[in-house]
Amino acid sequence: MRINNFFYLIKEGVKGIFKHGFMSFAAVCVTVACLLIVGSFSILMYNVNIMVEDLNQTNEVLAYVDSSFTEAEAKSIGTKINMIDNVLQSDFISREEALKKFVADHQEDEAFSGVEAEDLRHRFRVILEDNAYIEETAGQIEDLPGVVKVRAEYELAEGFSTLQQVLQLVSTAIIAVLLVVSLLIISNTVKLAMYDRKDEISIMKMVGATNGFIRLPFVVEGFTLGMVGAALAFAMEWGLYDTLVEEIATVDSLKLFNFVPFEHVLIPMIGTFAFAGLFVGIVGSWTSIRKFMNV
């Protein structure tokens, strides 16, 4: 194809957007609506997943040190704990620190009023990278010399891991369904535009125009409409998200919901919206025009 013909077809594709203004407007509106639904659900699931991970890390493993170990000897065990796979961090808690917490938790119970630091053990509070392997990691910690006991909430950790897996599975399935539905809706919208122009396509075929020559303006048109819809949807998503987060923050005095700033997901969201707009625009127009090429 000669360069002059190429730019001519590009120009025809852009002109087609304004020539069929109502159908172009409808295609952009459908694109914006579909991408807003997909984008909103995606960012919601991302935030929920982050919250579950934060809750997951609150589940600690406590490793108790042999009572005969001095504080220096007990601290040396921390290096070995940190070398274990799946250990994110370990914090040493001395007898004195453990006593302060014990007194604070039982200050109204006179039965524990005589407890002293020597009655308690040095310990480590261990945070894991993945609580799905909490039982295996706890066993490795307990096997370390000087560690006499390990306490971990296995059922709670398993519950968090199961919840996280279910959320990931459900979110992936729903987003995939929404993308397919979006593509079908946009494809049908483009088909209506093609039907409105079937006589024009027929005439071009009759005078000897090639399929590529006929297709390119429609692909350019679909690409442009898809990208315009993606840009509008992205801008609306950003504004709606920031507004919603601000409104939730005003009523959530306990800070139960910690949504990440939109800037934190800015690049992934730009990529997602751009790809989705490009995909539904080009694929929608390309597949829609095929039935009109058989004249």
Side-chain angles (χ1 to χ4, degrees):
M1 181 184 295
R2 290 184 300 178
I3 191 69
N4 290 340
N5 287 344
F6 178 76
F7 284 113
Y8 167 77
L9 295 176
I10 296 291
K11 183 176 69 175
E12 288 298 306
V14 175
K15 285 170 59 177
I17 297 174
F18 300 97
K19 184 178 179 181
H20 303 86
F22 177 75
M23 296 307 301
S24 298
F25 176 75
V28 169
C29 289
V30 172
T31 303
V32 169
C34 293
L35 292 184
L36 270 178
I37 294 173
V38 173
S40 298
F41 195 85
S42 300
I43 201 168
L44 174 62
M45 287 298 99
Y46 177 80
N47 276 283
V48 170
N49 193 51
I50 291 294
M51 293 177 191
V52 171
E53 287 182 355
D54 290 341
L55 288 173
N56 200 8
Q57 290 193 354
T58 62
N59 190 24
E60 305 168 345
V61 174
L62 289 178
Y64 296 92
V65 180
D66 191 318
S67 57
S68 63
F69 276 42
T70 64
E71 183 170 331
E73 292 172 333
K75 285 183 177 180
S76 66
I77 299 175
T79 304
K80 299 176 183 178
I81 293 177
N82 288 327
M83 292 176 62
I84 295 176
D85 291 338
N86 197 40
V87 172
L88 180 64
Q89 71 178 62
S90 62
D91 299 318
F92 178 73
I93 302 174
S94 66
R95 289 189 177 101
E96 291 72 20
E97 293 172 328
L99 178 61
K100 290 179 182 178
K101 186 177 185 306
F102 184 86
V103 171
D105 293 340
H106 302 86
Q107 56 184 348
E108 297 181 359
D109 195 336
E110 296 182 358
F112 298 104
S113 58
V115 175
E116 297 181 357
E118 289 71 19
D119 299 324
L120 303 176
R121 290 190 175 101
H122 298 303
R123 64 199 67 184
F124 286 89
R125 179 172 58 241
V126 184
I127 305 297
L128 307 184
E129 293 180 358
D130 188 352
N131 276 348
Y133 304 101
I134 187 172
E135 191 167 356
E136 177 183 343
T137 306
Q140 293 177 325
I141 295 173
E142 193 167 12
D143 289 339
L144 292 175
V147 177
V148 296
K149 181 182 177 183
V150 169
R151 192 182 74 183
E153 299 292 342
Y154 300 117
E155 294 182 359
L156 183 60
E158 184 178 352
F160 280 138
S161 298
T162 302
L163 177 60
Q164 194 168 18
Q165 292 172 1
V166 170
L167 284 174
Q168 290 175 348
L169 181 63
V170 171
S171 61
T172 301
I174 292 179
I175 290 172
V177 170
L178 287 174
L179 282 174
V180 172
V181 171
S182 301
L183 183 59
L184 291 175
I185 292 174
I186 293 170
S187 177
N188 288 330
T189 303
V190 175
K191 282 180 182 178
L192 292 176
M194 299 299 173
Y195 186 80
D196 187 48
R197 301 163 69 175
K198 65 178 182 177
D199 293 336
E200 177 185 338
I201 297 172
S202 299
I203 293 172
M204 293 177 70
K205 288 284 290 184
M206 289 177 183
V207 298
T210 63
N211 288 345
F213 188 89
I214 298 172
R215 243 190 215 112
L216 186 57
F218 292 103
V219 173
V220 170
E221 186 174 339
F223 165 78
T224 305
L225 293 175
M227 295 309 292
V228 169
L232 291 174
F234 176 79
M236 294 175 65
E237 183 74 47
W238 193 342
L240 289 172
Y241 181 82
D242 283 348
T243 301
L244 182 61
V245 169
E246 289 177 3
E247 290 296 322
I248 292 177
T250 58
V251 298
D252 184 21
S253 58
L254 298 178
K255 304 297 181 182
L256 298 175
F257 302 101
N258 297 316
F259 290 93
V260 300
F262 193 84
E263 290 78 4
H264 186 73
V265 294
L266 184 63
I267 301 302
M269 292 299 287
I270 289 176
T272 300
F273 275 78
F275 173 78
L278 180 68
F279 180 77
V280 299
I282 292 180
V283 175
S285 60
W286 186 274
T287 56
S288 300
I289 198 175
R290 284 189 306 172
K291 65 176 294 185
F292 297 99
M293 300 299 292
N294 300 319
V295 179

